[in-house]
Amino acid sequence: MTRFRPGLCSVTFRKLAPEAIVALAAECGIGGIEWAGDVHVPPGQFDTARRVRHLTEEAGLSVVSYGSYIAPPSDDEAAFALVLDTAQALGAPNIRIWPGSRNRDSATYSAQERQHAASLIRRMARSADSASVTIGLEYHPNSLTDDLASAQRLMAEIDDPNVFLYWQPRPGLPLDEALDELRAVGSDTSHVHVFAWDSEKRRYPLSDQRAYWTKLLTDAPSTRWPRDRFAMMEFVRDDSPEQFRADAAVFCQMLREVRDRAGSTARLL
């Protein structure tokens, strides 16, 4: 059993300015933010990165990660170097990257293509490690982590201690399968993305899937990740701040219950 702090992916609110996102997160008891590299903190905009870091820290929140859209092998080490510099300006201890070209199924890769992607990720991880920054691989459909077998194989191919997996269930994944998957990759995971979608990617209030997420977060195994772990809310119904407020209340209560359950279990041991 592990404990998670409540987080938010800023990409949830692409249309909101960083000031509004920070205020909303602080109001709702969120502890940290992953800042999106496609809209809120674009690569190379160092003044923006420093400003967003200041906004986040002034509100008493943590910069959890830089949510980059680097996607090796589509992006090379030069592109990653700019992202790493931006992450450092942002004060981000972790960079999220996409494993493999965007919107490409893992089943379509040859062994040689997989090895090329893994080699690039490994070199990026070594560069990040020199700056005390970790790498988190998006766990997502249409990528090299789009199923359990491919994700496990990729981690073995990369074979680098500075590379971790984010984790999220495929939309609509039954609870038993999600639990098996999370347990299988658990030791390599860092953060978790939390959302309430079905297999058709329709969005629902988090309260509709409260039991599902409570079980997943309660049973999440221990990990080699060395820092605080965040369960980060990502995408809400209608991209609505009001829906986020309602979901965040459920989310924070759920995490408190998971924490209290972990404490009770520890006292019994």
Side-chain angles (χ1 to χ4, degrees):
M1 186 179 292
T2 190
R3 297 186 182 186
F4 292 92
R5 295 179 62 195
L8 168 66
C9 298
S10 78
V11 72
T12 302
F13 297 113
R14 280 195 170 99
K15 294 181 180 180
L16 294 185
E19 292 84 350
I21 292 172
V22 167
L24 183 61
E27 172 195 337
C28 294
I30 298 300
I33 300 174
E34 176 180 88
W35 287 104
D38 63 340
V39 57
H40 296 123
V41 186
Q45 294 192 12
F46 303 119
D47 287 344
T48 296
R50 285 187 283 267
R51 181 176 63 83
V52 169
R53 176 182 184 175
H54 177 74
L55 287 169
T56 308
E57 293 177 348
E58 280 291 294
L61 309 181
S62 300
V63 175
V64 177
S65 179
Y66 183 36
S68 85
Y69 287 84
I70 288 287
S74 299
D75 296 303
D76 60 14
E77 290 170 87
F80 180 75
L82 184 62
V83 163
L84 179 57
D85 287 345
T86 308
Q88 290 179 280
L90 180 62
N94 181 77
I95 297 172
R96 186 281 309 273
I97 67 174
W98 289 73
S101 301
R102 297 284 303 279
N103 299 314
R104 182 179 175 186
D105 290 350
S106 63
T108 68
Y109 284 78
S110 68
Q112 184 177 18
E113 287 176 313
R114 290 185 65 100
Q115 288 292 344
H116 177 51
S119 178
L120 271 173
I121 293 170
R122 189 184 312 114
R123 294 199 296 273
M124 292 174 182
R126 290 296 88 216
S127 177
D129 188 55
S130 68
S132 299
V133 173
T134 51
I135 297 296
L137 303 182
E138 183 78 4
Y139 200 97
H140 202 278
N142 306 122
S143 75
L144 283 170
T145 54
D146 59 9
D147 66 33
L148 174 59
S150 183
Q152 290 179 310
R153 180 181 171 188
L154 180 63
M155 290 297 287
E157 289 165 336
I158 296 169
D159 190 24
D160 191 286
N162 199 41
V163 177
F164 299 83
L165 291 169
Y166 277 21
W167 185 81
Q168 63 187 47
R170 293 181 299 282
L173 188 67
L175 177 59
D176 287 348
E177 293 180 39
L179 284 167
D180 288 344
E181 187 171 281
L182 181 55
R183 289 164 182 153
V185 298
S187 64
D188 287 325
T189 58
S190 54
H191 307 303
V192 173
H193 283 164
V194 175
F195 51 82
W197 292 15
D198 65 15
S199 60
E200 301 300 319
K201 298 184 179 180
R202 291 181 291 247
R203 302 180 189 182
Y204 298 90
L206 187 60
S207 57
D208 286 12
Q209 295 186 9
R210 178 172 182 157
Y212 181 95
W213 279 106
T214 296
K215 182 63 173 173
L216 284 172
L217 296 176
T218 297
D219 288 9
S222 59
T223 173
R224 61 184 175 86
W225 175 251
R227 303 182 181 130
D228 285 353
R229 297 185 78 188
F230 282 83
M232 295 184 285
M233 295 178 63
E234 184 181 39
F235 301 120
V236 298
R237 190 172 61 175
D238 299 327
D239 299 329
S240 163
E242 285 306 312
Q243 183 64 60
F244 175 76
R245 288 183 173 94
D247 286 355
V250 170
F251 182 53
C252 290
Q253 178 60 33
M254 182 173 65
L255 289 180
R256 285 192 293 270
E257 291 172 2
V258 170
R259 180 197 63 206
D260 292 345
R261 191 170 302 163
S264 297
T265 300
R267 287 191 294 271
L268 291 173
L269 297 177

